[in-house]
Amino acid sequence: MNFKKLGLGLVAGVMLWSNSGAVLAQESVVLGGNFELSGQYAAYGTPMREGFDLAIKHMNENGGLLDGLTVEAVVYDNTSDMTESAAVTTRLANEGVVGVVGPATTGDVLAQVPVLQENQLPGVVPAATGDGLTLDDNGELLEYLFRVCFEDSYQGYVGANYMFDTLGVTRVAVVSDQTLDYSVGLRDAFVAQFTALGGTVVTEETLTTGDTDFSAALTNLLTQDVEALYVPVYYTEAGLFIKQAREFGLDLPVMGADGYHNDTLVELAGDANATDVYYTSHFSLLSENEKTVEFVAAFEEEYGKQPDTFSALAYDATLLLMNAIDTAGSTDRDAVRDAISATTDFEGVTGTFSMDENNNPVKSVVVLGLENGVETSVVEVAPE
């Protein structure tokens, strides 16, 4: 694969200082990975690790960084735990990595933020879509935190437009997880836009992460005059909910967000039940974009399976970090941070984007449709 590397021009002989004060030749560029490789969110973190590793492999095959330096990776498992996420990033910072890719979830990302800021360590987040993630409690920019995914509010906004304009739904029921910021943020944005369009939210039900029996909510939904369900939760609860909804006879369109984009959803729901299901996401196997097609083929060759949105986003996050190192012409963390901030027209496998003033990408959303568990439709929605 041929990747354009920008801003080359560092003179040969990159140097580092050892703890003893001696000058050493830098033989590699080391990147850190903080991923959920076990625990509740391993189905997100594991494909991210695969995308991270593949991006580094491709960069090394194309000559490495900074006039030929090999890229190396140090990866630790945060076990889907916020305390461990902070500990992992502390360990990576102490081991001298240039930047960190990951973790997956908003909670785990927020846990590492103080470590990134204290150590002036750039962190590129693949898939944590929580609103305002890159800002502190006072609305000030967290200057070392970046991401390659759009925010939840934009997903909810696009989802409402798609349901109202494309599916022709005017009466909807919303089912959300009150304990999950991700779900609440999506719900609020969807409801605001859907009602602004003239739609009616007939009823709202709730569930909690870890629930496996949704019969009470489904019994109530059976009595409501609704045309579709908006269920912005993660893939485990979504898969079980869709399965039980179909068993209850609720053969209505179900829509969610990028938390659906995992094969486990279809496995839990069952192929036949995963029909008339739609979700907003970052990446589609149906894309005809040349870079995306090349990535899918390379991923299948490397791992013997198709990539998902999380592996694709991690691939882009890793390339963004590596290209910033080349653009900066240095492994200096502040220089790399500045290069990421200044990124424009970055051509990734999840789309072309530029970084905005809040360290978020300006990029398109894709709305994917499933029939019998298979992705059969994709609609790209450009940013406004």
Side-chain angles (χ1 to χ4, degrees):
M1 300 177 74
N2 182 24
F3 297 102
K4 182 180 180 182
K5 292 185 284 184
L6 304 177
L8 297 177
L10 182 70
V11 295
V14 180
M15 310 302 283
L16 290 177
W17 288 92
S18 73
N19 291 334
S20 65
V23 179
L24 304 173
Q26 183 177 348
E27 297 179 353
S28 64
V29 176
V30 184
L31 306 184
N34 179 355
F35 301 117
E36 293 84 344
L37 301 179
S38 63
Q40 184 176 5
Y41 301 118
Y44 296 144
T46 300
M48 284 187 182
R49 166 70 186 275
E50 293 167 344
F52 174 79
D53 287 344
L54 187 60
I56 290 174
K57 177 182 178 180
H58 286 160
M59 186 60 73
N60 284 330
E61 289 174 347
N62 281 271
L65 293 175
L66 301 177
D67 293 335
L69 295 183
T70 299
V71 185
E72 297 182 3
V74 179
V75 177
Y76 295 115
D77 177 12
N78 64 40
T79 70
S80 302
D81 178 83
M82 289 187 287
T83 300
E84 188 63 21
S85 177
V88 163
T89 301
T90 298
R91 185 174 181 181
L92 291 169
N94 290 338
E95 292 184 14
V97 302
V98 181
V100 176
V101 175
T105 69
T106 296
D108 289 340
V109 170
L110 289 174
Q112 76 165 352
V113 164
V115 182
L116 297 178
Q117 294 296 107
E118 180 181 351
N119 289 277
Q120 297 176 301
L121 176 63
V124 185
V125 177
T129 53
D131 284 355
L133 183 71
T134 59
L135 306 176
D136 66 16
D137 291 340
N138 297 316
E140 298 295 324
L141 181 67
L142 297 167
E143 58 183 333
Y144 291 92
L145 184 65
F146 302 85
R147 56 180 163 183
V148 296
C149 58
F150 39 70
E151 292 187 301
D152 287 334
S153 57
Y154 189 50
Q155 283 197 87
Y157 175 87
V158 170
N161 287 341
Y162 188 85
M163 186 171 281
F164 190 87
D165 294 331
T166 303
L167 299 182
V169 171
T170 59
R171 298 175 62 82
V172 67
V174 176
V175 182
S176 61
D177 184 342
Q178 297 271 53
T179 68
L180 193 63
D181 289 344
Y182 169 81
S183 185
V184 172
L186 284 162
R187 178 202 65 194
D188 291 348
F190 175 89
V191 169
Q193 178 62 8
F194 192 74
T195 54
L197 292 169
T200 301
V201 177
V202 176
T203 187
E204 293 194 38
E205 298 288 335
T206 62
L207 56 80
T208 300
T209 300
D211 285 351
T212 58
D213 182 1
F214 307 106
S215 56
L218 291 168
T219 298
N220 184 50
L221 290 173
L222 281 171
T223 68
Q224 305 296 317
D225 178 19
V226 298
E227 300 163 338
L229 308 176
Y230 185 65
V231 190
V233 297
Y234 287 144
Y235 61 89
T236 301
E237 289 72 30
L240 293 171
F241 183 89
I242 291 168
K243 180 179 187 292
Q244 293 175 33
R246 300 314 190 214
E247 292 172 347
F248 266 71
L250 281 167
D251 294 324
L252 302 173
V254 177
M255 187 163 197
D258 60 338
Y260 280 29
H261 208 154
N262 188 277
D263 290 342
T264 304
L265 181 143
V266 176
E267 293 171 7
L268 292 173
D271 290 352
N273 293 327
T275 294
D276 215 7
V277 174
Y278 307 88
Y279 56 95
T280 49
S281 193
H282 313 262
F283 166 80
S284 171
L285 292 169
L286 300 179
S287 173
E288 296 179 354
N289 177 277
E290 181 180 355
K291 287 187 176 294
T292 307
V293 172
E294 289 182 358
F295 166 71
V296 171
F299 192 93
E300 289 177 334
E301 180 180 355
E302 184 73 15
Y303 299 111
K305 61 183 178 181
Q306 293 181 323
D308 66 9
T309 192
F310 301 101
S311 51
L313 284 167
Y315 187 90
D316 276 356
T318 311
L319 280 186
L320 177 67
L321 176 57
M322 292 190 293
N323 283 344
I325 293 168
D326 256 346
T327 299
S330 169
T331 56
D332 177 79
R333 290 172 176 177
D334 282 349
V336 173
R337 173 206 62 194
D338 291 344
I340 301 173
S341 296
T343 298
T344 59
D345 299 324
F346 177 86
E347 296 182 9
V349 301
T350 64
T352 298
F353 60 85
S354 301
M355 302 306 296
D356 70 11
E357 67 277 6
N358 290 327
N359 292 350
N360 295 312
V362 179
K363 66 191 301 189
S364 296
V365 180
V366 294
V367 182
L368 307 178
L370 300 180
E371 296 292 329
N372 293 312
V374 177
E375 185 182 319
T376 57
S377 66
V378 56
V379 175
E380 183 173 333
V381 181
E384 296 183 352

